[in-house]
Amino acid sequence: MAIAGIAAAVTAPMLTACGSDYEQGVINMYAAADGFDYIDEVAQRCSADSNGEYRIAMHMLPKEADMQRLQLARRLAGNDSGLDLMAMDVVWTAEFADAGWAVRVPDDIAEKTRQISLAGPVETVEWKRDDDTAKSLYAIPLWANTQMLWYRPELMKETIDTTTAPTTWQGMLDDAAKIKDAGGPAAILLQAKQYEGLMVWFNSLLESAGGEVLDPNDPSKVTLTDTPEHRAATVEALTVMRQVATAPGADPSISNSDEGTARTDMEAGKGAFEINWPFVFAGIKENGAAGEAKIMGDSLTGFKDIIDATADDPTDPRIAKVNDATRKKFDFAAYPGITSGKTAKSTPGGFNLAVASTSKQQDLAFKAASCLTDEQAQKVYAVRGGTPPTIASLYEDADFQLAYPMYEIIRRQLDEGAAPRPATPRYQDMSTAITATLSPVGQWNPESKADELGKVAQSAIDGEGIVP
């Protein structure tokens, strides 16, 4: 839905329903259901530390990203002065900034944010409006995320006599084929149904191949096929997608796969490799301790008491034993690249925090936002909430390192290895058009599909045609 479409969809009854809950000193913060309790916990600390200057009142948005965006858009279009702070998906920055809904971050806060944050998260809060002389920050990073390669060392040792994870997609395909020949499962489990997860996969492959969807200096220009080099990168990314989808032993339900199916199928022993977010590590420890993760056997059942006792405190030193035991059967590695020796690119996820233009107390809202995103806050979100921080110094924190044994990979991939999705006010239209064109995955020729993608993406950016 384009910005104009959202505004048009806001009928008079909806505007009335939004209401106006403005109260001096009360900062109304809207955030998604996932992670809400941890933000609420930090909000209470920030309110107390303000010594009465402000009180943050938390309001829960729906679980689904589309509904979160729609509810915020309705309030913003309705000029709801009861909306001060909003947690935004990392792909909404350009849209909300261009619409005049997100307030430009003050220079002092923006400078500090750039100094302390990893490069990938910073890029997701930047946008240049027509009245900006350069890219400006329109939000502050709240937390981030990055996908990794998950594999089975024990299975690899038994079938192909190695426990070293592949570093490229071709290497992973080759290893999967060898595992299949040895009688093991060969599926590469990932996210490929027609939704945002498919856009994340395509974007990571495209940027790893040296391409990009949009010209970073002209976000109105699609660059999927504008030069021979860009076209070659697009074809290369599409070729990998087709190979993964059609290889012998591939996931037969790949066009319906998402984060949840990839996790459960891997735990059930249906895959050789998995591309997913870090949450799967905590999940397999919990399920393994309960005897519900087939690939773990009974290797974790003896740790059930420790896992139960440390569920709310992953910094307990005892968790290190559980991590070591888990990694013998289910381990992690960096996101695979396209070309050996060339830095792989992984698409970051996460949320950012913006001050709404409807707020009547924007200076106070920025004070609250700074507290909600500071190092103390991000440690809570990371260690207890399971969402990686955007502040670089936290990756040196001993508690964080214990909770995230894969911390070095995450830091690298959110910094020099980050490939944020293309910034554009029409991102939602473009992503929807691209994922519809790619689905079902692999049932097309990469050469002709590259040309088709270039056309539908440009049409979406230009606001032409009907969004699928």
Side-chain angles (χ1 to χ4, degrees):
M1 225 186 301
I3 296 170
I6 294 177
V10 183
T11 60
M14 276 296 182
L15 296 183
T16 303
C18 287
S20 178
D21 299 319
Y22 166 69
E23 180 182 343
Q24 180 61 37
V26 176
I27 303 299
N28 289 295
M29 160 78 176
Y30 285 77
D34 288 339
F36 183 90
D37 290 344
Y38 300 105
I39 300 177
D40 188 31
E41 176 185 326
V42 173
Q44 292 180 42
R45 187 263 297 176
C46 291
S47 298
D49 289 351
S50 77
N51 295 316
E53 188 175 14
Y54 62 78
R55 176 177 64 84
I56 301 172
M58 295 296 299
H59 304 274
M60 186 181 294
L61 292 169
K63 198 176 183 70
E64 299 80 11
D66 286 347
M67 290 306 298
Q68 296 165 27
R69 177 170 159 269
L70 183 58
Q71 285 203 17
L72 289 174
R74 283 172 170 165
R75 289 185 175 277
L76 291 158
N79 198 31
D80 181 4
S81 58
L83 171 57
D84 298 296
L85 290 174
M86 48 192 176
M88 306 194 309
D89 191 289
V90 292
V91 299
W92 298 347
T93 303
E95 176 185 11
F96 278 52
D98 248 30
W101 291 340
V103 179
R104 184 177 179 273
V105 177
D107 291 343
D108 58 335
I109 300 177
E111 182 180 359
K112 180 181 178 181
T113 299
R114 286 193 169 101
Q115 288 176 348
I116 67 174
S117 304
L118 299 171
V122 169
E123 192 172 338
T124 70
V125 296
E126 290 182 324
W127 179 246
K128 183 181 181 300
R129 292 181 10 155
D130 289 342
D131 55 351
D132 289 327
T133 56
K135 284 185 178 180
S136 299
L137 266 61
Y138 282 91
I140 305 170
L142 189 63
W143 61 63
N145 219 337
T146 185
Q147 291 190 321
M148 301 166 61
L149 169 62
W150 302 88
Y151 67 104
R152 300 169 57 183
E154 191 174 74
L155 171 68
M156 293 179 68
K157 183 64 177 178
E158 292 174 351
T159 54
I160 59 176
D161 196 30
T162 183
T163 58
T164 301
T167 59
T168 65
W169 284 89
Q170 188 57 58
M172 183 161 49
L173 286 162
D174 292 343
D175 283 352
K178 294 174 185 176
I179 292 172
K180 182 180 184 300
D181 290 343
I188 297 172
L189 304 169
L190 36 71
Q191 301 76 48
K193 74 177 184 181
Q194 188 179 324
Y195 81 123
E196 187 61 21
L198 179 54
M199 182 66 186
V200 168
W201 184 26
F202 172 65
N203 188 68
S204 296
L205 290 174
L206 178 66
E207 296 227 7
S208 293
E212 52 196 349
V213 178
L214 299 178
D215 184 337
N217 297 314
D218 181 5
S220 67
K221 179 183 178 183
V222 172
T223 54
L224 289 169
T225 56
D226 64 325
T227 67
E229 293 77 15
H230 284 160
R231 189 177 189 282
T234 302
V235 170
E236 192 168 19
L238 294 173
T239 299
V240 170
M241 298 179 82
R242 185 179 66 172
Q243 288 174 328
V244 170
T246 60
D251 177 10
S253 302
I254 191 168
S255 288
N256 292 309
S257 61
D258 57 22
E259 290 89 349
T261 61
R263 179 186 66 81
T264 55
D265 285 353
M266 189 66 164
E267 290 186 5
K270 297 180 181 179
F273 302 101
E274 176 186 7
I275 299 293
N276 220 328
W277 311 93
F279 82 95
V280 299
F281 194 64
I284 203 168
K285 287 189 290 186
E286 181 179 348
N287 293 335
E292 297 173 355
K294 181 179 178 180
I295 65 171
M296 302 307 297
D298 60 0
S299 62
L300 294 183
T301 54
F303 294 105
K304 189 176 189 309
D305 290 344
I306 295 178
I307 292 176
D308 290 344
T310 60
D312 293 325
D313 183 18
T315 64
D316 188 310
R318 293 177 295 170
I319 204 67
K321 295 180 180 179
V322 185
N323 290 343
D324 291 342
T326 303
R327 294 181 65 181
K328 291 178 181 178
K329 294 178 179 288
F330 182 71
D331 206 357
F332 51 81
Y335 195 89
I338 295 289
T339 305
S340 180
K342 185 176 180 179
T343 301
K345 297 289 186 177
S346 178
T347 301
F351 273 86
N352 301 320
L353 187 56
V355 171
S357 59
T358 56
S359 174
K360 291 185 177 180
Q361 40 194 344
Q362 294 176 7
D363 290 344
L364 206 56
F366 273 115
K367 286 187 178 181
S370 295
C371 183
L372 288 166
T373 57
D374 67 15
E375 187 169 322
Q376 187 177 347
Q378 290 206 14
K379 184 172 179 178
V380 172
Y381 307 146
V383 173
R384 298 185 52 220
T387 49
T390 68
I391 297 176
S393 61
L394 276 170
Y395 287 82
E396 304 300 327
D397 183 274
D399 289 339
F400 175 74
Q401 292 180 356
L402 183 60
Y404 284 79
M406 68 293 292
Y407 69 93
E408 289 184 354
I409 294 174
I410 293 176
R411 173 169 52 188
R412 185 169 62 252
Q413 291 188 179
L414 288 175
D415 205 18
E416 69 265 25
R421 279 159 281 185
T424 168
R426 291 190 174 274
Y427 177 81
Q428 209 70 26
D429 288 352
M430 185 187 67
S431 174
T432 300
I434 287 176
T435 54
T437 305
L438 289 174
S439 186
V441 174
Q443 305 304 308
W444 27 253
N445 178 285
E447 294 281 349
S448 57
K449 185 58 65 173
D451 295 326
E452 185 182 356
L453 277 178
K455 292 176 182 177
V456 299
Q458 190 64 63
S459 292
I461 291 296
D462 295 339
E464 299 173 352
I466 299 175
V467 178

